[in-house]
Amino acid sequence: MAVVGTERVKRGMAQMQKNGVIMDVVTAEQAKIAEAAGAVAVMALERVPSDIRAAGGVARMADPTIVEQVMKAVSIPVMAKCRIGHIVEARILESLGVDYIDESEVLTPADDKYHVNKREFTVPFVCGARDLGEALRRIAEGAAMIRTKGEPGTGNIVEAVKHIRMVQSQIRRVVSMSEDELVAESKEIGAPYELLLEIHRTGSLPVVNFAAGGVATPADAALMMELGSDGVFVGSGVFKSENPEKFGRAIVDATMNFKDYDLLAKISQGIGTPMKGIEMSTLSINERMAERGW
Amino acid sequence: MIGMILKIGILDVQGAVSEHAKSIRNIGAEPVLVKHPESLVEVHGLILPGGESTTLGTLIRKYGLYEPIRERARQGMPVFGTCAGLILLARKIEGQDDHHLDLMDITVNRNSFGRQRDSFEADIEFEGLSGAPFPGVFIRAPHIVTAGSDVQVLAMYQDRIVAARQGNLLAASFHPELTSDLRLHEYFKAVIERQCAAECV
């Protein structure tokens, strides 16, 4: 008897993406460029985060036509975003056959209290997190993959660095605790005790953890790998750069060879200008997407 | 052979590398991460892990691993491909003009069980394995459509070939590295040991 949608096939799908780069695309042509550059998956969107930021208003799930065109254009997995808590957008994406759903703070949240109960779906989900408590709440809801939130559409890596460092240091802390301290820690960070106990014993998150939100250059991608990410999402960074083909390939090379500094020096040359970035202090609190989600 | 620790390489470009490394350690062999052609020299066998076959195929060419892997496999080095690794081994990929390593006389169909929502777990009867059926984890899995006369079919699922062997080459549609069942890694280790014994004579 075949069983679909098990925790193992959902988490396993993300494990197959490790050391890879997942690129945001808004057309079938961009999806083909991403695939040729060596992306392990594409995220089909109507607008990349920097354009969502510029456009303002309510950002929703992409038009299914775009998602279907991207799915037809490439053989690598296709992901798509639904609004936080928008159960029906998620069901529509599942029905379209997307391979992974990102319940994402890049879109305007549909629910101010609850995320989607991801365990009820056959399709796996990835969710953003700023710290261990948030990551484990999402995993408890059924997320099969975690990514840092960073600050999407800024081309500024500082927030993603803050988030991955926070998660790593909290994991180290949980590992070094005695078991009788874990209940208090569970209350402190708002994380389920059973998941903390699992981390205490295994020393790592039970799912793959990618970097996202602000990756703009090959060096940024390599930095996130250096800090312990399992792979990288690049949103606006590829197709808002001067030369997406070259830039995309360089980010893939940098992610897979993040410790080879001679190679990084070589591939960072002659790839054109990266996307224009935004300094964090110029963003007011309600312009920060990472604040969305609970 | 006795007392020697086998070194089993894992293609370390992208995908489920650490999972295979863990299984290899658990069968008492030493995992060697193969990112560059130089690391191939010291290994007794090589695992091509699950990942994205399009990405893996592009990058083994780019990183100069394509010819060295083919050459050693043709000289007899045992190779075990799981999921995307099976696609890399194949002579022909349905619906595509190109292929990757072209080592095994099989034609494969990619994502033949559907998209991710159709990914599944099922018990598999595996030729030559004793005990309970093998827990098959199929993730956007390929299957073998046709196999040459030298190819031994090792497992079928719903009338599709999901595991096979051709001499020193072993391939499975599913992911033994995502389970704690070590029998397929043990099976591969036995293939390597026989190969080493033959070469040492």
Side-chain angles (χ1 to χ4, degrees):
Chain A
M1 239 328 258
V3 191
V4 297
T6 62
E7 192 168 80
R8 189 147 57 181
V9 299
K10 288 176 173 179
R11 292 180 177 182
M13 162 75 201
Q15 286 167 274
M16 298 309 140
Q17 305 264 297
K18 284 194 300 180
N19 267 16
V21 179
I22 299 166
M23 298 181 193
D24 279 3
V25 299
V26 296
T27 62
E29 291 68 43
Q30 287 189 353
K32 283 182 182 156
I33 291 170
E35 185 175 47
V40 290
V42 290
M43 178 79 70
L45 291 164
E46 216 164 302
R47 284 196 280 261
V48 294
S50 63
D51 288 338
I52 290 175
R53 198 174 272 293
V58 173
R60 309 178 181 92
M61 173 186 83
D63 179 340
T65 317
I66 294 174
V67 178
E68 281 193 332
Q69 284 167 352
V70 169
M71 283 168 57
K72 280 200 193 102
V74 293
S75 65
I76 54 177
V78 176
M79 302 187 172
K81 290 183 197 291
C82 76
R83 283 181 263 176
I84 288 172
H86 207 309
I87 303 161
V88 174
E89 283 188 352
R91 285 292 181 197
I92 291 170
L93 293 173
E94 183 179 52
S95 153
L96 288 171
V98 303
D99 298 294
Y100 236 91
I101 296 177
D102 184 1
E103 187 184 17
S104 176
E105 66 283 0
V106 167
L107 305 181
T108 312
D111 191 316
D112 67 348
K113 283 195 180 63
Y114 304 108
H115 283 247
V116 172
N117 179 6
K118 295 165 273 286
R119 292 187 184 280
E120 298 206 327
F121 286 72
T122 305
V123 66
F125 281 75
V126 54
C127 286
R130 287 162 295 184
D131 55 41
L132 185 62
E134 195 171 14
L136 295 184
R137 289 193 292 278
R138 298 294 85 81
I139 293 169
E141 291 158 358
M145 180 184 195
I146 292 294
R147 54 169 176 75
T148 60
K149 285 184 165 175
E151 190 50 50
T154 60
N156 189 337
I157 197 69
V158 66
E159 294 297 304
V161 167
K162 198 191 284 180
H163 299 161
I164 191 84
R165 279 200 179 273
M166 177 60 107
V167 170
Q168 303 289 13
S169 98
Q170 287 177 297
I171 289 173
R172 283 193 294 273
R173 193 177 131 82
V174 167
V175 170
S176 67
M177 282 177 164
S178 67
E179 280 197 18
D180 49 9
E181 291 172 310
L182 292 177
V183 172
E185 180 70 3
S186 153
K187 183 184 171 199
E188 176 73 23
I189 67 172
Y193 168 76
E194 288 70 21
L195 288 174
L196 279 186
L197 185 63
E198 190 180 342
I199 289 173
H200 177 71
R201 287 175 179 165
T202 62
S204 59
L205 279 179
V207 302
V208 161
N209 186 16
F210 268 47
V215 176
T217 66
D220 287 347
L223 171 64
M224 294 308 292
M225 296 301 287
E226 182 92 42
L227 293 174
S229 299
D230 292 314
V232 176
F233 282 90
V234 187
S236 322
V238 173
F239 289 98
K240 286 290 171 186
S241 72
E242 191 183 337
N243 187 334
E245 285 91 345
K246 276 191 181 172
F247 228 82
R249 278 200 297 273
I251 289 179
V252 168
D253 280 340
T255 303
M256 294 184 187
N257 302 283
F258 64 95
K259 280 191 184 298
D260 187 341
Y261 306 118
D262 293 339
L263 182 84
L264 290 176
K266 210 185 302 172
I267 61 177
S268 300
Q269 293 170 20
I271 52 174
T273 321
M275 69 178 285
K276 189 176 183 304
I278 300 174
E279 215 298 293
M280 284 308 137
S281 60
T282 64
L283 284 180
S284 68
I285 198 84
N286 54 15
E287 288 176 309
R288 294 194 178 202
M289 294 170 173
E291 301 298 321
R292 299 162 168 178
W294 12 94
Chain B
M1 275 304 293
I2 293 161
M4 185 179 110
I5 293 183
L6 282 185
K7 290 185 174 177
I8 303 181
I10 309 163
L11 178 68
D12 180 24
V13 174
Q14 186 272 314
V17 177
S18 62
E19 291 80 354
H20 271 299
K22 189 177 169 195
S23 299
I24 289 171
R25 275 192 293 271
N26 286 341
I27 58 167
E30 183 187 333
V32 176
L33 303 185
V34 177
K35 216 182 210 8
H36 305 288
E38 308 85 73
S39 332
L40 262 187
V41 180
E42 55 169 321
V43 303
H44 301 105
L46 179 69
I47 288 180
L48 307 174
E52 283 311 316
S53 64
T54 314
T55 313
L56 287 168
T58 307
L59 295 172
I60 54 171
R61 289 174 173 91
K62 190 168 176 178
Y63 299 156
L65 285 159
Y66 182 81
E67 276 306 329
I69 293 174
R70 272 165 59 99
E71 198 181 315
R72 279 221 54 199
R74 284 184 170 152
Q75 288 162 359
M77 174 183 71
V79 183
F80 180 18
T82 57
C83 194
L86 174 151
I87 298 171
L88 293 184
L89 283 173
R91 175 144 305 155
K92 200 170 174 339
I93 302 168
E94 265 193 348
Q96 286 180 219
D97 296 329
D98 56 340
H99 51 68
H100 299 298
L101 292 166
D102 182 19
L103 286 166
M104 214 169 157
D105 189 10
I106 52 174
T107 299
V108 299
N109 180 297
R110 297 174 57 196
N111 306 142
S112 55
F113 295 94
R115 301 194 71 97
Q116 173 59 21
R117 64 178 173 191
D118 309 304
S119 293
F120 63 97
E121 293 187 45
D123 287 342
I124 300 299
E125 294 295 341
F126 197 99
E127 183 87 27
L129 285 195
S130 54
F134 196 86
V137 182
F138 294 80
I139 297 176
R140 285 170 49 96
H143 88 278
I144 298 170
V145 186
T146 57
S149 53
D150 288 350
V151 179
Q152 182 194 2
V153 173
L154 295 174
M156 304 277 291
Y157 180 75
Q158 290 182 339
D159 301 324
R160 298 179 215 200
I161 304 170
V162 293
R165 179 175 171 188
Q166 182 180 13
N168 57 322
L169 308 171
L170 182 64
S173 299
F174 47 93
H175 294 279
E177 77 280 13
L178 294 185
T179 72
S180 54
D181 194 321
L182 297 171
R183 285 178 293 166
L184 276 196
H185 287 87
E186 295 276 11
Y187 185 105
F188 183 54
K189 188 179 164 196
V191 174
I192 299 174
E193 280 167 345
R194 270 196 297 278
Q195 186 68 27
C196 282
E199 278 171 9
C200 292
V201 170

XYZ file of all heavy atoms in Angstrom, chain A residues 96-130:
280
model
N -3.005 22.848 -8.047
C -2.239 23.098 -9.274
C -1.092 22.109 -9.433
O -0.570 21.921 -10.528
C -1.652 24.515 -9.257
C -2.630 25.683 -9.451
C -1.908 27.005 -9.190
C -3.212 25.668 -10.854
N -0.668 21.507 -8.307
C 0.422 20.532 -8.363
C 1.795 21.114 -8.080
O 2.810 20.510 -8.432
N 1.858 22.293 -7.442
C 3.189 22.823 -7.100
C 3.862 21.845 -6.130
O 3.186 21.121 -5.395
C 3.153 24.250 -6.489
C 2.469 25.235 -7.415
C 2.519 24.253 -5.121
N 5.187 21.811 -6.143
C 5.921 20.816 -5.378
C 6.168 21.238 -3.934
O 6.449 20.393 -3.079
C 7.251 20.522 -6.071
C 7.031 19.933 -7.457
O 6.505 18.813 -7.530
O 7.343 20.610 -8.456
N 6.099 22.534 -3.649
C 6.328 23.033 -2.291
C 5.591 24.358 -2.152
O 5.580 25.154 -3.095
C 7.833 23.300 -2.055
C 8.397 22.562 -0.873
C 8.946 21.296 -1.028
C 8.383 23.129 0.404
C 9.466 20.614 0.065
C 8.904 22.450 1.486
C 9.444 21.183 1.317
O 9.950 20.502 2.388
N 4.973 24.608 -1.007
C 4.319 25.892 -0.773
C 5.119 26.668 0.267
O 5.514 26.123 1.296
C 2.861 25.709 -0.288
C 2.029 25.027 -1.384
C 2.253 27.059 0.096
C 0.588 24.737 -0.978
N 5.368 27.939 -0.032
C 6.016 28.830 0.931
C 4.911 29.688 1.564
O 4.308 30.518 0.885
C 7.028 29.714 0.186
C 7.822 30.622 1.124
O 7.614 30.554 2.356
O 8.661 31.395 0.613
N 4.627 29.422 2.844
C 3.656 30.260 3.570
C 4.450 31.481 4.015
O 5.170 31.430 4.996
C 3.076 29.496 4.763
C 1.953 30.254 5.447
C 1.427 29.542 6.699
O 2.107 28.641 7.226
O 0.332 29.910 7.158
N 4.303 32.576 3.244
C 5.364 33.585 3.273
C 4.941 34.963 3.753
O 3.893 35.492 3.356
C 5.939 33.721 1.855
O 6.902 34.749 1.827
N 5.810 35.558 4.548
C 5.629 36.921 5.057
C 5.864 37.970 3.963
O 5.600 39.152 4.175
C 6.576 37.161 6.244
C 8.083 37.166 5.931
C 8.691 35.781 5.737
O 7.955 34.779 5.842
O 9.906 35.711 5.471
N 6.355 37.521 2.788
C 6.525 38.464 1.676
C 5.149 38.931 1.186
O 4.987 40.058 0.725
C 7.322 37.776 0.529
C 7.253 38.574 -0.753
C 8.771 37.581 0.964
N 4.164 38.050 1.307
C 2.785 38.432 0.962
C 2.107 39.003 2.215
O 2.555 38.772 3.335
C 2.020 37.207 0.448
C 2.657 36.450 -0.724
C 1.783 35.276 -1.138
C 2.917 37.377 -1.906
N 1.016 39.715 2.015
C 0.299 40.312 3.139
C -0.450 39.220 3.909
O -1.217 38.467 3.297
C -0.729 41.337 2.615
O -0.069 42.176 1.665
C -1.290 42.176 3.738
N -0.239 39.085 5.218
C -0.893 37.991 5.952
C -2.420 38.044 5.839
O -3.021 39.117 5.823
C -0.459 38.234 7.402
C 0.825 38.972 7.287
C 0.677 39.846 6.082
N -3.023 36.834 5.772
C -4.482 36.741 5.687
C -5.078 36.491 7.065
O -6.276 36.622 7.256
C -4.870 35.604 4.740
N -4.247 36.079 8.017
C -4.734 35.746 9.357
C -3.759 36.364 10.350
O -2.549 36.162 10.233
C -4.786 34.215 9.506
C -5.527 33.757 10.753
O -5.302 34.346 11.837
O -6.320 32.800 10.648
N -4.276 37.139 11.320
C -3.359 37.829 12.232
C -3.022 36.998 13.473
O -2.340 37.473 14.368
C -3.901 39.205 12.614
C -5.166 39.110 13.449
O -5.741 37.993 13.539
O -5.587 40.132 14.014
N -3.544 35.756 13.529
C -3.234 34.909 14.697
C -2.673 33.534 14.326
O -1.772 33.037 14.983
C -4.499 34.682 15.528
C -4.901 35.847 16.394
C -5.919 35.403 17.427
C -6.330 36.573 18.315
N -7.004 37.653 17.544
N -3.245 32.928 13.288
C -2.929 31.533 13.028
C -2.283 31.306 11.656
O -2.696 31.916 10.674
C -4.198 30.678 13.126
C -4.885 30.834 14.454
C -6.082 31.536 14.560
C -4.319 30.309 15.611
C -6.707 31.708 15.787
C -4.923 30.474 16.846
C -6.127 31.175 16.931
O -6.721 31.345 18.145
N -1.314 30.400 11.666
C -0.741 29.948 10.397
C -1.573 28.765 9.893
O -2.402 28.226 10.631
C 0.711 29.523 10.610
C 1.655 30.686 10.738
N 2.606 30.968 9.799
C 1.781 31.626 11.685
C 3.287 32.037 10.166
N 2.808 32.463 11.308
N -1.333 28.358 8.657
C -2.024 27.197 8.078
C -1.610 25.934 8.851
O -0.443 25.780 9.217
C -1.641 27.043 6.580
C -2.172 25.739 6.007
C -2.137 28.237 5.769
N -2.585 25.055 9.102
C -2.261 23.747 9.678
C -1.725 22.870 8.544
O -2.459 22.221 7.808
C -3.505 23.110 10.303
C -3.192 21.744 10.892
O -2.029 21.329 10.928
N -4.208 21.032 11.326
N -0.401 22.848 8.454
C 0.253 22.264 7.284
C 0.259 20.740 7.296
O 0.522 20.106 6.280
C 1.678 22.839 7.207
C 1.652 24.346 6.944
C 2.964 25.049 7.212
C 3.147 25.483 8.644
N 2.321 26.656 9.038
N -0.063 20.170 8.468
C -0.118 18.709 8.561
C -1.260 18.126 7.732
O -1.230 16.964 7.361
C -0.317 18.272 10.017
C 0.877 18.558 10.872
C 0.734 17.968 12.254
N 1.876 18.364 13.064
C 3.057 17.778 13.001
N 3.238 16.751 12.201
N 4.049 18.218 13.740
N -2.286 18.941 7.484
C -3.451 18.428 6.770
C -3.244 18.346 5.263
O -4.098 17.866 4.551
C -4.652 19.329 7.058
C -5.017 19.335 8.526
C -6.468 19.650 8.765
O -7.020 20.430 7.974
O -7.019 19.109 9.738
N -2.103 18.844 4.790
C -1.850 18.883 3.353
C -0.947 17.733 2.916
O -0.152 17.228 3.709
C -1.184 20.209 2.984
C -2.124 21.393 3.011
C -2.589 21.897 4.220
C -2.553 21.989 1.837
C -3.454 22.982 4.260
C -3.422 23.072 1.860
C -3.873 23.570 3.076
N -1.086 17.342 1.654
C -0.180 16.343 1.078
C 1.083 17.037 0.574
O 2.177 16.496 0.637
C -0.864 15.627 -0.102
O -2.095 15.096 0.373
C -0.011 14.501 -0.632
N 0.939 18.266 0.080
C 2.092 19.019 -0.417
C 2.874 19.551 0.800
O 2.281 19.909 1.816
C 1.614 20.176 -1.326
C 0.832 21.221 -0.569
C 2.769 20.826 -2.063
N 4.215 19.556 0.718
C 5.004 20.087 1.840
C 5.077 21.619 1.845
O 4.881 22.252 0.813
C 6.392 19.485 1.611
C 6.455 19.120 0.179
C 5.054 18.945 -0.325
N 5.375 22.178 3.016
C 5.479 23.629 3.196
C 6.852 24.033 3.711
O 7.468 23.314 4.496
C 4.473 24.117 4.255
C 3.061 24.255 3.782
C 2.275 23.124 3.587
C 2.499 25.506 3.563
C 0.950 23.242 3.173
C 1.177 25.633 3.152
C 0.401 24.502 2.957
N 7.282 25.229 3.301
C 8.436 25.885 3.917
C 7.912 27.160 4.576
O 6.984 27.795 4.058
C 9.542 26.185 2.869
C 9.023 26.984 1.686
C 10.729 26.913 3.514
N 8.483 27.515 5.746
C 8.071 28.736 6.446
C 9.305 29.487 6.926
O 10.347 28.888 7.178
C 7.214 28.395 7.663
S 5.542 27.872 7.252
N 9.157 30.796 7.097
C 10.246 31.631 7.578
C 10.310 31.647 9.099
O 9.305 31.431 9.772
N 11.518 31.899 9.638
C 11.678 31.993 11.091
C 12.829 32.932 11.417
O 13.819 32.981 10.689
C 11.936 30.615 11.691
N 12.658 33.687 12.517
C 13.727 34.588 12.974
C 14.516 33.986 14.121
O 15.602 34.434 14.437
C 13.124 35.918 13.432
C 12.627 36.797 12.308
C 11.689 37.851 12.833
N 10.483 37.217 13.376
C 9.427 37.876 13.853
N 9.429 39.183 13.874
N 8.370 37.229 14.304
